[in-house]
Amino acid sequence: MLASPALLVQDPAMGKPALDLSKLTAEEKLDLIDDLWRSLSSDDLPLSSELRAELDRRLERLDREGPIGVPWEDVRAEMTTSES
């Protein structure tokens, strides 16, 4: 997808080709973001003990109370109403 030579420019500071983001479509940029995100492993994103404790607390609450939130239909209806 992003291998097109037209999308690559030489970055003199890095000594290797760099991606010319200005030539990417919005969809190609989103695909790139997705590719980058999927390339990360859990080891790449270490959690502090505080964040780990907060995530554990939230998971325990979810197990205890079940999922809570607003249905998409309600959110969309509110957004549509507020735009008018």
Side-chain angles (χ1 to χ4, degrees):
M1 170 188 87
L2 299 175
S4 169
L7 296 176
L8 297 176
V9 294
Q10 188 70 27
D11 181 351
M14 297 184 71
K16 62 183 179 181
L19 193 57
D20 186 352
L21 298 176
S22 68
K23 295 185 188 233
L24 297 178
T25 65
E27 184 175 351
E28 289 171 327
K29 290 175 183 177
L30 290 171
D31 286 342
L32 179 58
I33 291 168
D34 187 48
D35 290 344
L36 289 169
W37 184 254
R38 290 172 186 265
S39 74
L40 294 171
S41 73
S42 58
D43 293 336
D44 295 324
L45 305 167
L47 298 177
S48 67
S49 57
E50 294 83 8
L51 184 53
R52 170 79 57 202
E54 176 63 16
L55 292 172
D56 288 343
R57 184 190 66 75
R58 291 180 184 195
L59 283 172
E60 288 171 13
R61 181 178 175 194
L62 179 63
D63 288 342
R64 191 175 57 251
E65 299 176 12
I68 54 176
V70 179
W72 167 243
E73 294 78 17
D74 294 350
V75 172
R76 181 151 180 96
E78 183 177 329
M79 288 172 44
T80 304
T81 304
S82 63
E83 290 177 2
S84 302

